[in-house]
Amino acid sequence: MNLSFHLQVINLLAALLLLISFAMLSQRRVVGLVTLFAWQGAALAASTALVAWSTGQHHLYWSAALTLALKVVAMPWFFYRLVRKLDINREVEAVLNIPTTMLIGIALVIFAFNLALPISQMAGTVTRSTLGIAMACVLLAFLMMITRRKAITQVIGFLAMENGLFFAATSASYGMPLVVEMGVALDVLVGVFVLGIFFFQIRETFDSLDLKHMERLKER
Amino acid sequence: MEIYWVLGIPLAGGLFLAAWGNRARAPELNALFSLATLAAAAALTMRIVAEGPIMVGDGWFFIDSFNVFLVALTAFVAFTTALFSRPYMRIEKDHGRLNDARLRLYHSSYQIFIGAMLLALTTNNMGILWVSMEAATLATVLLVSLYRTPASLEAAWKYFILCGVGIAQALFGTILLYFAAEKILGSGGTALLWTHLNGVKEQLEPTVLQLAFVFLLVGYGTKVGLAPLHNWLPDAHAEGPTPVSAVLSGLLLNVALYAVMRSKVLVDGALGNDMAGNLMMGFGLLSVVLAAFLIKRQTDVKRMFAYSSIEHMGLITFAFGMGGPVASFAGLLHMTMHSLTKSAIFFAVGHATQKAGTQAMDSIRGLIRTNPTIGWGLMLGTVAILGVPPFGVFASEFLMITTAMHEHPWATPFLLTALGVAFAAIFGKVQPMVFGETELPRLPHQPALAPVFVHLGLVLMLGLFIPPYLADWYRQAAALLGG
């Protein structure tokens, strides 16, 4: 079990992350999206733990455990419940059709790799080659937020973006200081909780979580 | 020591008020907690004035003249807003727009929000700064949607998602900052401490910092309400309850700009050129011009003043972007003036809309006839924010524009046109609201307007005479910003 083997596994997990990001772009149902989000969290936690093991950065174990607890267990469970309670597992309509979105996604990946190139050349970490993938995940999640119309899919997109950012921090500098990571995790947790309340309010008022009802406030 | 009180009181207040619920005296308790925070902030300020910058708690908190001035301002406006919200929210409840559960949420979140902003201001850790900015947003999302009307829910949603995406950019900026710092300071908690970073800023990798600043500016700039990232701001200000509009506009925008400025100091040191300043000038100027022209089209009074906030934040960003002692001084002065004046205006506007039962400016008429204090408050506040001498806004705007004429003459016509357009638009709309004819009855409740006149009195005083110690203090803070 030498370092290069670990690196290969980390690269494999990184590729998996990217693949899941694309799968999320093409997923039409909310439940499917939640499952994919949980898998993305799992891949992220596994790769973080592996980086921690192979480089001896022990604080990364905490970060991996946080990801596992929050993004693989707690949040997907919460979203499944929400979907059931609010009965919103219908097709997600997208602003653009799926093939077009995928093509834009590919362009974004190329852009992300170019953007990450100068930074990863400066990085001293063994995992620097995955920085491009992390950037690509961030941009793909952003694309998902733009092209989906349901409130819940936007939130999942937002959380997927957060996953990408965490992965970027791990690959560029072996994560952030532990306090900061805990703080970020706390914010995300509170944010999802606030949104849970918020969804019920939206639902109560509009009878739907479709954002097309929420386009009244505009500059006329 | 004082710092723990400054941060502990709002947090304890938030938890206590959540448990206490909206029983009798909850609004008074809210004001009392804010008063205690103000007292602690005053003690902290006195200590900094006497002893100079201090570091507390193993370097976790760092207070110098730049942030202590914002701490004092934040605690002060938070207190006066709590005073204002006491009668205001009671009237809202009598009108049936709020119930006990929502008032409990309001009081509790209000304290947490203030606490989060104070933490953002006093922390030395750029990562915790990010965390507390996000916490401040989360604390106010449910406040914006407090009325549960379709429009307020939409506004809160927009606020949450746009600021969330914005702040995610800032997180990436922070990651890049850490990435650059970790090579020099070593990994671990100290590499994100601002004081440590400031000590080694010349050695930080310029290309990385350049990229980091772009992300930080876009991220925190979304919160400042800089165009073209300002979309959430008018909605959140117009649809939330008025005390929330007052603290969002008067305080949160300042704190976000503070985060940008802390980053700018580091980036300036690393790059040794004007990249950061030029970017800020660009965003600032765009915000001023765009907001001024959008003000003209508004029909909702709170929305109009929200655009005016964008305009003024743009001005301050522009001034800080120019840099130099005079412009930074003017920017800091303008931050103070804008906070005080804009919150005073929102207080007056709040009662005016309660009286008319709507925020549409066409329906608010003749305030001076039926409720002269509200009318005078709104008129004086408007005159002050438009930069009419002798109010303090005039002094800071004058300094900014003269500096711009010297250093960046190309920008002056844009600034002057925008200020002129904003003047004509706002004055033209407020004048009939105050002096027009009305059949509406008097507001049956006693309005809470003492804070309005206290704020405006301070603005007037600072316009006529800035006490020498205060001027010294601003100068010190301006020097910290690289003036």
Side-chain angles (χ1 to χ4, degrees):
Chain A
M1 296 283 266
N2 52 20
L3 191 65
S4 73
F5 176 69
H6 287 171
L7 269 183
Q8 279 180 16
V9 179
I10 292 169
N11 282 340
L12 182 70
L13 285 168
L16 206 60
L17 267 178
L18 189 63
L19 205 64
I20 294 172
S21 293
F22 270 107
M24 282 168 108
L25 270 184
S26 65
Q27 179 55 254
R28 287 171 180 277
R29 299 184 83 82
V30 177
V31 169
L33 207 56
V34 177
T35 313
L36 282 171
F37 170 69
W39 277 109
Q40 196 185 36
L44 179 66
S47 76
T48 312
L50 202 60
V51 172
W53 191 37
S54 54
T55 61
Q57 300 276 338
H58 290 293
H59 73 274
L60 280 180
Y61 284 122
W62 285 101
S63 158
L66 267 178
T67 309
L68 192 69
L70 284 180
K71 288 180 177 154
V72 185
V73 182
M75 283 176 195
W77 173 79
F78 180 75
F79 283 132
Y80 282 133
R81 250 178 75 98
L82 211 60
V83 169
R84 228 186 11 252
K85 269 206 163 167
L86 297 173
D87 188 28
I88 43 178
N89 190 27
R90 267 153 283 165
E91 291 228 327
V92 183
E93 61 240 70
V95 181
L96 288 171
N97 65 21
I98 303 273
T100 320
T101 319
M102 298 296 255
L103 282 176
I104 299 175
I106 292 171
L108 281 181
V109 174
I110 297 170
F111 175 69
F113 270 87
N114 271 316
L115 194 66
L117 196 63
I119 308 173
S120 56
Q121 274 168 350
M122 269 176 256
T125 54
V126 290
T127 46
R128 57 178 183 251
S129 54
T130 51
L131 192 64
I133 293 187
M135 299 279 293
C137 288
V138 174
L139 290 178
L140 288 176
F142 197 46
L143 181 64
M144 190 171 104
M145 285 182 77
I146 296 170
T147 56
R148 297 302 168 86
R149 317 228 48 167
K150 284 252 164 55
I152 193 163
T153 47
Q154 289 208 340
V155 172
I156 294 176
F158 178 61
L159 291 168
M161 190 146 95
E162 179 108 51
N163 276 347
L165 285 173
F166 260 81
F167 192 57
T170 315
S171 33
S173 54
Y174 297 137
M176 303 271 276
L178 189 59
V179 201
V180 177
E181 284 199 5
M182 304 263 258
V184 174
L186 181 73
D187 271 347
V188 171
L189 190 66
V190 174
V192 168
F193 179 70
V194 166
L195 273 163
I197 304 174
F198 202 60
F199 280 156
F200 281 96
Q201 296 182 1
I202 295 179
R203 166 81 169 194
E204 220 173 276
T205 315
F206 295 101
D207 262 339
S208 144
L209 280 178
D210 198 318
L211 295 179
K212 70 173 179 249
H213 302 288
M214 311 231 296
E215 284 175 1
R216 233 174 44 82
L217 295 176
K218 264 189 192 154
E219 275 321 316
R220 280 169 285 269
Chain B
M1 197 53 231
E2 294 88 347
I3 177 78
Y4 299 117
W5 288 106
V6 169
L7 298 175
I9 293 169
L11 183 64
L15 295 177
F16 180 81
L17 285 166
W20 183 257
N22 194 44
R23 280 186 242 163
R25 305 273 158 233
E28 284 78 10
L29 282 172
N30 187 33
L32 201 67
F33 277 115
S34 305
L35 180 62
T37 313
L38 177 60
L44 181 71
T45 310
M46 259 143 36
R47 178 149 166 219
I48 303 297
V49 169
E51 297 176 19
I54 52 167
M55 251 207 278
V56 190
D58 278 347
W60 280 97
F61 301 102
F62 173 67
I63 302 111
D64 59 14
S65 0
F66 178 33
N67 56 9
V68 82
F69 128 83
L70 284 169
V71 167
L73 185 66
T74 302
F76 178 73
V77 175
F79 169 60
T80 49
T81 306
L83 281 185
F84 161 76
S85 89
R86 196 175 62 93
Y88 181 85
M89 290 313 233
R90 195 168 51 223
I91 300 173
E92 289 295 278
K93 198 181 163 201
D94 290 348
H95 286 184
R97 297 185 74 187
L98 293 171
N99 57 28
D100 283 338
R102 292 186 204 168
L103 280 173
R104 169 196 221 149
L105 174 73
Y106 166 74
H107 287 129
S108 172
S109 304
Y110 183 82
Q111 291 292 330
I112 301 271
F113 171 58
I114 302 299
M117 282 194 297
L118 290 169
L119 176 62
L121 288 172
T122 51
T123 181
N124 192 13
N125 188 318
M126 295 299 282
I128 301 293
L129 173 62
W130 185 90
V131 171
S132 41
M133 283 301 299
E134 175 70 355
T137 315
L138 292 175
T140 38
V141 169
L142 292 179
L143 291 186
V144 170
S145 68
L146 202 65
Y147 291 136
R148 307 278 163 87
T149 55
S152 72
L153 281 171
E154 183 185 336
W157 175 255
K158 240 173 158 176
Y159 175 46
F160 178 84
I161 216 76
L162 287 177
C163 281
V165 171
I167 205 112
Q169 317 283 320
L171 179 62
F172 189 61
T174 312
I175 291 173
L176 287 174
L177 189 63
Y178 178 66
F179 168 65
E182 171 239 22
K183 283 199 207 136
I184 294 157
L185 294 167
S187 61
T190 55
L192 269 179
L193 294 187
W194 187 82
T195 41
H196 288 50
L197 286 166
N198 196 33
V200 296
K201 61 185 174 189
E202 280 84 10
Q203 304 165 39
L204 297 172
E205 184 64 54
T207 29
V208 178
L209 270 243
Q210 199 168 352
L211 199 58
F213 184 74
V214 172
F215 278 100
L216 287 166
L217 178 64
V218 169
Y220 292 129
T222 310
K223 273 241 150 102
V224 181
L226 295 178
L229 315 158
H230 65 279
N231 272 348
W232 64 273
L233 192 146
D235 299 338
H237 283 54
E239 303 304 333
T242 306
V244 176
S245 319
V247 280
L248 280 180
S249 181
L251 303 177
L252 183 71
L253 309 186
N254 277 355
V255 178
L257 190 56
Y258 164 83
V260 174
M261 286 313 293
R262 280 285 187 216
S263 324
K264 177 177 181 276
V265 172
L266 298 177
V267 176
D268 279 347
L271 290 179
N273 63 21
D274 290 336
M275 191 281 288
N278 287 340
L279 266 180
M280 285 179 74
M281 276 166 59
F283 273 105
L285 199 59
L286 184 64
S287 311
V288 176
V289 174
L290 198 70
F293 282 94
L294 283 169
I295 286 173
K296 237 166 61 91
R297 298 163 52 179
Q298 300 309 314
T299 52
D300 177 317
V301 59
K302 281 168 81 179
R303 236 181 133 76
M304 176 178 82
F305 283 113
Y307 274 106
S308 152
S309 290
I310 299 178
E311 181 209 341
H312 286 276
M313 291 324 278
L315 268 179
I316 301 169
T317 311
F318 181 81
F320 284 145
M322 283 194 292
V326 182
S328 300
F329 180 94
L332 291 168
L333 186 64
H334 202 72
M335 259 176 153
T336 322
M337 295 301 124
H338 175 253
S339 281
L340 293 171
T341 317
K342 192 52 69 61
S343 42
I345 290 176
F346 272 117
F347 299 159
V349 163
H351 281 310
T353 56
Q354 274 182 332
K355 175 171 142 20
T358 166
Q359 292 177 195
M361 283 188 274
D362 294 342
S363 316
I364 305 174
R365 284 290 179 263
L367 288 170
I368 212 122
R369 228 163 253 258
T370 48
N371 285 80
T373 31
I374 302 179
W376 277 115
L378 181 59
M379 197 66 214
L380 288 176
T382 306
V383 168
I385 202 74
L386 290 175
V388 174
F391 287 102
V393 179
F394 171 75
S396 49
E397 283 183 356
F398 182 78
L399 283 175
M400 283 178 197
I401 288 172
T402 44
T403 320
M405 278 175 176
H406 277 296
E407 291 175 16
H408 303 279
W410 56 269
T412 327
F414 294 106
L415 285 176
L416 288 176
T417 315
L419 286 178
V421 169
F423 188 99
I426 295 184
F427 198 79
K429 287 180 194 218
V430 171
Q431 199 269 346
M433 281 165 50
V434 175
F435 294 107
E437 293 294 327
T438 184
E439 267 100 62
L440 283 170
R442 235 183 110 75
L443 188 67
H445 306 261
Q446 183 66 32
L449 288 168
V452 176
F453 293 102
V454 172
H455 283 198
L456 292 178
L458 280 173
V459 172
L460 181 61
M461 186 199 87
L462 290 174
L464 294 171
F465 168 68
I466 302 179
Y469 62 89
L470 200 63
D472 274 349
W473 187 16
Y474 279 128
R475 245 175 246 126
Q476 273 175 32
L480 286 171
L481 297 177

